[in-house]
Amino acid sequence: MTNDIMTNDPKGLSRVDGRLKVTGRAKYSAEYKVKDLVYGVLVGSTITKGTIKFIDTKKAEAAPGVVSVLTYFNAPKIPGYQTDTPSPKGPLKIFYNDQIYFNGQPIALVIADTFERALFAASQVSAAYAAEPHQTDLKTNLDKGFSTRKEDKDFVKGTADAWKTAPIKVEQEYVIPTEVHNPMELHAIIAKWNAADKISVYTKTQGVKSTQRSIAQAFKLPPENVQVTAPFVGGAFGAALRTWPHEIAAVLASKVTGKPVKLVLSRADMFTSVGYRPYTWQKVSLGATPDGKLVGITHEATGQSSVYEDFTEGVVNISQLMYASPNINTHYKLVSLNVNTPTPMRGPGEATGAFALESAMDELSYQLNIDPIDLRMRNYAETDPGNGKPYSSKYLSEAYKLGAEKIGWTNRNQKPGAVTENGWLVGYGMAAGMFGAHRSSATVLARMMADGTLVLQTAVTDIGPGTGTAMVSIASEVMGIPAEKIKFDMGDSSLPPSPTQGGSQITSTVGSAVHDACVELKEKFKTMAGNTDATNYTQILKQQNLDKLEVTTASKGGAEQGKYSMYSWSVHFMKVLVHPTTGVVKINKAISVADAGLIISPKTARSQMIGGSIMGIGMALTEEVVIDHRYGRLVNNNFADYHVPVQADIPQVEAYFVNKPDTILNPIGARGMGEIATIGVAAAVANAVYNATGKRVRDLPITPDKLV
Ligand code: MOS
């Protein structure tokens, strides 16, 4: 692989599972054919806070085809729920008590011989409640914020609130609404007990090993008695990072009925059952000298969580790390509301934080009359501003240059609203992103077969970025064999352990393990062949009369990593057109540039960056969960009313890479890019809209009504 800056039309391996996916032969969790299958449909609470007094299941039980109706009042106790150390807060336990914490909380599971019959019977379940007043609006509850950790309450570097002493100041509030992951594939599980103490599940998950652990814990089983299979996952973005109550309910229902149970969430359920990016209020205050040197950054944020569980994320972290300001302080708080618990969503914390920080930096650039890239370069961090450590690798400045060239930054006018094209206002904007680069541990089995086929096995899942493609690329290069000869098996809890696919760490972690396993296998061949250069694997196997040769290699990062700060970096550039009368915003061109170390799989990396940009454009322009706070109920829990960007919204997105190997993080030189693809995008759009119109929108999404 070369170190050249890559083009927007990369060469390299095409998606190894692409053919299976486009021909429909890739099987997703709900698609497995299982004999004697019965179907579950959940019934949600119609109140938002209170107590269930009674659930009438008689009509449902009498409906055609119904096998069972489970509720808190009749469901067998889930063993792991009972013996867990009681703690005041924790994940929602399904059918555990009579308490209602949020609207739509599952109160019953109807199981019938067909999906349609289960759906009808579910409509026949009714409940009586003692309802209590609820709170679902963060805006009106901001004064109830609390911090769960000391560092959230009080991070101070240098002097707190030093921005106030600077001659040039920006102090602004920013709001992002609740956003839902909404992957194309619905969450789905098929659960089947094979013996009294053995269960197998097909389920949508980002981690088969973590799902195995969670189910084993809930049902008090040895982990190896729980088989989790998920070779294909149709998108997740964080929504399948944990095991959700509906999965536990399906496993329970299979136990109760003695039949395999399939449970597929409805699209409406996807809005209340599998987490979301939480509604968050932020205030960023910046102080600078007239020549654009930051004197102080203060970043406060308050996000929402549920009443039963505290979900925290690194909203303010980006302000601790992005710029070389001598003084930085941050506060982060939660408010408990009668809503379901949020969960990480692509760029968790940082995507939210970057919208505020990178909007505020843009505001500062106009106050100073300094180009926004120039302002960032005047405050460029050459070492980690938080701990003073060197970076393992950072080429963000090169990414700025490349992105500026590709968007045509020289066409930007520093004066807002100054440029028009065919009656539309034209604006350019940019914003940066960053996310921690990680490497944890993974084990890979590498087996060379007599026919020269290399089989790689590990329990990782792939939610879409192209894990298999990257792994095959690495093995192909190390072993010196063509990609067609390599098979990558994954998504099966019985394979050697791999981490959950999340936190942009899979290429780094599993890729390094594939690399190490292949190096070890090659060494084994070399020893066998008498230390000659052994690359004719089939011949050596034949000479030794072996049908295969294999190694199982565990791989993880070393202690030297502690000496460095390790991040992936990105910058996003937008050219937008805004209609002066209607306020409609059109993305004319989007450019994303990543510094994510060496790019292992150019084609899938490009797709990953483009997808992240589109997700950020959705965050900027259209996506917003609306709750009717009188009832605590979602208004737009469907794709007709919750708007994700469609083809017509996204005319041209290009992705580029600095493509310099990070030689510290791991032996393959690659860092993650799943999160940085989205982090910063929303601010780039908002900044471009300001450049076009002179209107600063600080509460997402930027809908036309905010611009007219
Ligand atoms: Mo993620 S939010 O790394 O699945």
Side-chain angles (χ1 to χ4, degrees):
M1 251 162 274
T2 72
N3 281 352
D4 294 343
I5 284 168
M6 308 184 73
T7 71
N8 190 45
D9 179 22
K11 305 288 176 279
L13 193 56
S14 290
R15 210 171 270 270
V16 293
D17 48 7
R19 192 176 294 264
L20 287 176
K21 286 184 171 177
V22 299
T23 56
R25 281 183 292 147
K27 264 200 198 141
Y28 294 85
S29 294
E31 299 181 316
Y32 286 87
K33 300 263 178 288
V34 177
K35 216 169 134 255
D36 294 329
L37 198 59
V38 292
Y39 300 79
V41 169
L42 290 165
V43 179
S45 158
T46 55
I47 66 159
T48 302
K49 181 178 186 224
T51 307
I52 311 169
K53 288 293 170 208
F54 175 68
I55 301 180
D56 185 354
T57 58
K58 284 221 166 56
K59 269 160 74 185
E61 279 157 347
V66 170
V67 181
S68 180
V69 181
L70 293 177
T71 70
Y72 155 64
F73 298 103
N74 70 350
K77 301 254 177 276
I78 292 167
Y81 285 1
Q82 314 307 318
T83 52
D84 280 348
T85 333
S87 67
K89 286 192 173 180
L92 182 73
K93 296 173 174 175
I94 195 161
F95 307 145
Y96 179 69
N97 60 24
D98 58 3
Q99 291 303 296
I100 296 298
Y101 306 108
F102 63 92
N103 204 296
Q105 179 184 326
I107 60 162
L109 176 63
V110 177
I111 302 127
D113 59 353
T114 69
F115 168 70
E116 290 76 10
R117 285 171 149 184
L119 192 62
F120 171 73
S123 74
Q124 303 300 299
V125 174
S126 61
Y129 306 92
E132 293 164 39
H134 60 260
Q135 295 294 335
T136 53
D137 190 356
L138 184 70
K139 270 195 305 293
T140 56
N141 287 282
L142 275 176
D143 58 328
K144 301 190 184 69
F146 62 92
S147 297
T148 59
R149 305 181 309 162
K150 160 109 182 50
E151 56 270 39
D152 288 339
K153 203 165 138 192
D154 226 2
F155 170 91
V156 183
K157 179 203 164 190
T159 311
D161 300 331
W163 66 275
K164 288 180 178 166
T165 66
I168 314 290
K169 300 188 244 301
V170 167
E171 183 188 20
Q172 291 296 350
E173 296 182 19
Y174 304 87
V175 171
I176 69 143
T178 289
E179 252 196 303
V180 182
H181 312 71
N182 269 320
M184 200 185 294
E185 182 201 22
L186 299 166
H187 277 248
I189 178 169
I190 296 175
K192 178 178 190 282
W193 288 83
N194 305 309
D197 63 346
K198 276 204 173 76
I199 170 103
S200 58
V201 301
Y202 302 104
T203 191
K204 181 190 184 93
T205 177
Q206 290 174 240
V208 287
K209 293 301 264 183
S210 62
T211 298
Q212 180 187 52
R213 280 193 298 275
S214 304
I215 293 177
Q217 196 182 19
F219 291 88
K220 294 282 175 217
L221 301 168
E224 61 276 16
N225 286 21
V226 179
Q227 168 62 37
V228 181
T229 308
F232 295 98
V233 180
F237 311 115
L241 281 172
R242 65 193 288 185
T243 302
W244 295 105
H246 73 270
E247 296 173 281
I248 300 298
V251 173
L252 181 70
S254 175
K255 182 128 224 180
V256 170
T257 60
K259 288 173 189 288
V261 170
K262 170 147 92 175
L263 176 49
V264 183
L265 294 188
S266 67
R267 185 55 68 181
D269 288 339
M270 296 287 288
F271 283 77
T272 51
S273 305
V274 290
Y276 55 89
R277 191 192 302 287
Y279 189 113
T280 304
W281 169 92
Q282 300 177 74
K283 183 155 124 185
V284 175
S285 310
L286 303 176
T289 60
D291 64 347
K293 279 282 200 192
L294 284 168
V295 172
I297 302 174
T298 300
H299 190 163
E300 300 165 65
T302 302
Q304 71 177 44
S305 191
S306 64
V307 292
Y308 55 89
E309 189 174 20
D310 295 335
F311 169 80
T312 61
E313 56 182 4
V315 174
V316 295
N317 295 14
I318 192 159
S319 290
Q320 301 168 5
L321 299 161
M322 195 75 197
Y323 296 110
S325 173
N327 305 295
I328 302 168
N329 64 308
T330 64
H331 306 266
Y332 172 65
K333 291 181 198 161
L334 289 184
V335 172
S336 304
L337 297 175
N338 301 111
V339 293
N340 57 313
T341 309
T343 208
M345 178 165 160
R346 200 174 197 175
E350 275 81 356
T352 303
F355 168 62
L357 176 66
E358 289 293 278
S359 290
M361 282 296 280
D362 200 64
E363 301 206 38
L364 182 62
S365 78
Y366 285 95
Q367 272 203 41
L368 293 162
N369 199 26
I370 295 176
D371 179 280
I373 303 173
D374 192 7
L375 175 64
R376 283 166 177 80
M377 286 310 299
R378 291 182 199 200
N379 295 284
Y380 196 75
E382 296 286 0
T383 55
D384 186 322
N387 56 26
K389 287 181 190 175
Y391 293 117
S392 59
S393 168
K394 180 182 179 182
Y395 294 95
L396 180 60
S397 55
E398 295 196 12
Y400 287 161
K401 278 195 210 100
L402 180 61
E405 178 200 316
K406 296 292 178 188
I407 198 79
W409 192 250
T410 50
N411 297 322
R412 174 183 176 273
N413 194 315
Q414 175 78 7
K415 190 169 148 8
V419 184
T420 58
E421 263 176 33
N422 304 319
W424 291 68
L425 295 160
V426 179
Y428 291 83
M430 56 83 64
M434 65 187 298
F435 196 80
H438 305 289
R439 178 185 176 195
S440 60
S441 59
T443 302
V444 167
L445 178 148
R447 176 188 296 141
M448 184 62 76
M449 308 298 292
D451 68 354
T453 306
L454 177 70
V455 178
L456 300 167
Q457 297 189 323
T458 188
V460 73
T461 58
D462 179 55
I463 57 178
T467 305
T469 313
M471 299 308 127
V472 167
S473 297
I474 292 165
S476 170
E477 186 150 317
V478 177
M479 298 301 289
I481 59 174
E484 302 77 56
K485 288 283 211 184
I486 303 170
K487 191 166 163 280
F488 185 70
D489 292 338
M490 64 175 165
D492 179 331
S493 60
S494 64
L495 298 178
S498 257
T500 293
Q501 183 161 72
S504 298
Q505 61 146 334
I506 290 303
T507 303
S508 167
T509 300
V510 183
S512 299
V514 165
H515 170 275
D516 290 357
C518 289
V519 167
E520 198 181 322
L521 183 61
K522 231 175 136 172
E523 279 302 310
K524 210 166 167 177
F525 269 105
K526 206 170 157 186
T527 312
M528 199 171 265
N531 277 322
T532 60
D533 178 38
T535 48
N536 194 337
Y537 307 118
T538 50
Q539 199 187 342
I540 299 168
L541 287 174
K542 206 169 167 190
Q543 280 164 359
Q544 302 289 327
N545 204 19
L546 290 171
D547 61 355
K548 63 177 189 231
L549 189 66
E550 68 179 44
V551 296
T552 300
T553 307
S555 167
K556 63 177 196 300
E560 77 284 355
Q561 291 186 0
K563 296 183 201 137
Y564 296 87
S565 261
M566 299 188 279
Y567 293 91
S568 278
W569 311 90
S570 63
V571 60
H572 309 281
F573 285 84
M574 295 285 162
K575 180 187 175 190
V576 302
L577 304 178
V578 183
H579 196 276
T581 323
T582 63
V584 166
V585 178
K586 281 197 207 172
I587 303 293
N588 180 269
K589 195 173 181 184
I591 303 287
S592 288
V593 186
D595 169 18
L598 191 72
I599 302 306
I600 299 292
S601 171
K603 285 187 180 175
T604 56
R606 175 174 172 269
S607 293
Q608 171 89 323
M609 288 301 294
I610 291 173
S613 176
I614 294 169
M615 200 161 186
I617 290 168
M619 180 179 182
L621 296 180
T622 59
E623 295 189 44
E624 173 178 27
V625 164
V626 179
I627 297 178
D628 185 332
H629 296 298
R630 292 172 301 171
Y631 309 106
R633 193 174 303 159
L634 269 62
V635 174
N636 60 342
N637 51 354
N638 59 73
F639 274 159
D641 299 313
Y642 180 95
H643 296 157
V644 296
V646 297
Q647 212 70 4
D649 299 319
I650 309 294
Q652 189 183 359
V653 182
E654 294 174 11
Y656 298 90
F657 301 96
V658 174
N659 200 27
K660 295 267 203 298
D662 187 325
T663 53
I664 310 281
L665 178 61
N666 59 44
I668 58 173
R671 291 194 303 262
M673 66 172 62
E675 327 283 342
I676 55 161
T678 292
I679 298 166
V681 174
V685 175
N687 296 346
V689 167
Y690 179 79
N691 186 243
T693 62
K695 288 191 178 117
R696 179 65 65 178
V697 180
R698 302 186 184 91
D699 56 327
L700 295 180
I702 306 168
T703 45
D705 55 295
K706 294 174 186 171
L707 294 174
V708 293

